[in-house]
């Protein structure tokens, strides 16, 4: 891990200039092939990808927090033209640079922060986890809403709000006998997507229960 952190520090010290992989390998004392393989294993990105994402993240911050022309920012960050910068930025952020003007929260949400020891340790744990993406058939759900304001999606904040959501929902269960049919052992945490979350840092979750078509969803749920 120390080698990867040293490479990251070298990259960060050089930005907005990007270094050739050969330069980084020579300074690290490892072969290009070995360093690339170790970096990709630790970060999920190639060295070139990491440099480009960090470069565009810094550019996004400058667009969102200053009045500088996008053309000037493009040139400052090493692009030959505003058009080339816009193409690279849209591939990275899925939006045009002009869309995040005066939107610092949105810029932070889409940016890649400098990776540190904690980030690398979390990535290592994720790589060891059995993460699956499943397509589910359409079904009916009864949900209790939770809204969280956390630009960084801080795990402690999320856990605290979900726990408070469960406490509130169980209080509602005691008030409404019909909700007694909800099976708390099989509920799921659902996240909904909305455009506003990118600009506000707020994102909606819900405690969800899959229910039959004849289940009467009470007013306290949706």
């Amino acid at each position: 891990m120390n080698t990867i952190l040293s490479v990251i520090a070298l990259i960060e010290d050089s930005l907005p200039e990007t270094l050739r992989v050969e330069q980084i390998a020579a300074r690290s004392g490892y072969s290009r092939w070995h360093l690339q393989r170790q970096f990709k294993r630790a970060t999920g990105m190639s060295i070139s990808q990491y440099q480009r994402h960090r470069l565009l993240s810094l550019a996004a911050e400058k667009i969102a927090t200053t009045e500088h022309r996008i053309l000037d920012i493009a040139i400052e960050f090493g692009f030959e033209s505003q058009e080339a910068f816009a193409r690279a930025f849209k591939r990275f952020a899925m939006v045009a640079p002009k869309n995040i003007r005066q939107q610092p929260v949105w810029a932070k949400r889409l940016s890649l922060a400098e990776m540190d020891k904690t980030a690398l340790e979390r990535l290592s744990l994720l790589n060891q986890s059995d993460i699956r993406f499943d397509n589910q058939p359409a079904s009916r759900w009864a949900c209790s809403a939770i809204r969280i304001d956390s630009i960084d999606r801080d795990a402690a904040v999320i856990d605290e709000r979900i726990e408070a959501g469960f406490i509130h929902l169980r209080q509602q269960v005691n008030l409404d006998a019909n909700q007694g049919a909800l099976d708390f052992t099989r509920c799921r945490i659902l996240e909904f997507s909305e455009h506003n979350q990118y600009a506000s840092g707020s994102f909606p979750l819900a405690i969800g229960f899959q229910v039959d078509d004849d289940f009467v969803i009470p007013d306290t749920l949706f």
Side-chain angles (χ1 to χ4, degrees):
M1 181 180 293
N2 288 337
T3 299
I4 303 304
L5 290 173
S6 297
V7 170
I8 290 172
L10 178 60
I11 291 171
E12 296 293 332
D13 289 343
S14 301
L15 289 172
E17 178 188 353
T18 56
L19 302 174
R20 299 195 311 276
V21 177
E22 292 85 356
Q23 292 176 291
I24 297 173
R27 296 190 194 184
S28 70
Y30 292 95
S31 70
R32 172 178 175 171
W33 177 85
H34 176 80
L35 193 63
Q36 283 274 46
R37 186 166 62 89
Q38 294 300 318
F39 194 91
K40 181 71 176 287
R41 178 181 296 175
T43 67
M45 293 175 283
S46 70
I47 293 175
S48 297
Q49 285 175 322
Y50 179 83
Q51 289 191 96
R52 177 58 63 93
H53 288 180
R54 285 292 295 134
L55 187 75
L56 291 168
S57 296
L58 295 175
E61 180 183 6
K62 199 151 195 175
I63 293 169
T65 59
T66 73
E67 297 293 335
H68 295 179
R69 296 188 306 166
I70 292 178
L71 173 59
D72 295 334
I73 294 173
I75 294 173
E76 177 185 349
F77 285 90
F79 291 86
E80 296 179 354
S81 67
Q82 184 170 332
E83 291 73 20
F85 173 70
R87 287 194 298 270
F89 192 91
K90 196 163 186 178
R91 285 196 299 270
F92 165 67
M94 304 303 292
V95 295
K98 64 181 181 181
N99 292 122
I100 62 167
R101 177 68 82 185
Q102 304 302 320
Q103 296 286 350
V105 173
W106 194 350
K108 186 173 182 178
R109 284 288 305 277
L110 62 82
S111 294
L112 172 69
E114 176 184 350
M115 286 193 175
D116 56 16
K117 182 179 179 181
T118 299
L120 293 178
E121 288 174 346
R122 288 176 177 173
L123 281 173
S124 178
L125 287 174
L126 284 174
N127 289 334
Q128 298 172 37
S129 302
D130 181 21
I131 300 175
R132 297 176 300 170
F133 294 88
D134 296 326
N135 290 320
Q136 298 291 334
S139 55
R140 193 163 178 261
W141 291 76
C143 298
S144 177
I146 305 170
R147 181 170 291 277
I148 298 176
D149 294 306
S150 175
I151 295 173
D152 299 316
R153 290 175 175 257
D154 185 276
V157 173
I158 295 173
D159 288 345
E160 180 182 327
R161 291 302 307 276
I162 290 175
E163 182 178 357
F166 270 107
I167 292 172
H168 175 74
L169 181 56
R170 286 190 178 277
Q171 291 173 343
Q172 294 298 319
V173 168
N174 293 331
L175 296 175
D176 193 327
N178 186 54
Q179 291 188 42
L182 297 175
D183 185 356
F184 277 84
T185 66
R186 302 186 65 184
C187 67
R188 297 184 183 182
I189 303 300
L190 309 176
E191 179 176 352
F192 298 90
S193 178
E194 60 178 27
H195 179 75
N196 184 59
Q197 71 188 82
Y198 299 110
S200 68
S202 174
F203 61 99
L205 301 178
I207 302 170
F209 304 83
Q210 193 168 356
V211 296
D212 297 330
D213 290 342
D214 58 353
F215 180 83
V216 179
I217 297 178
D219 292 339
T220 51
L221 302 181
F222 68 93

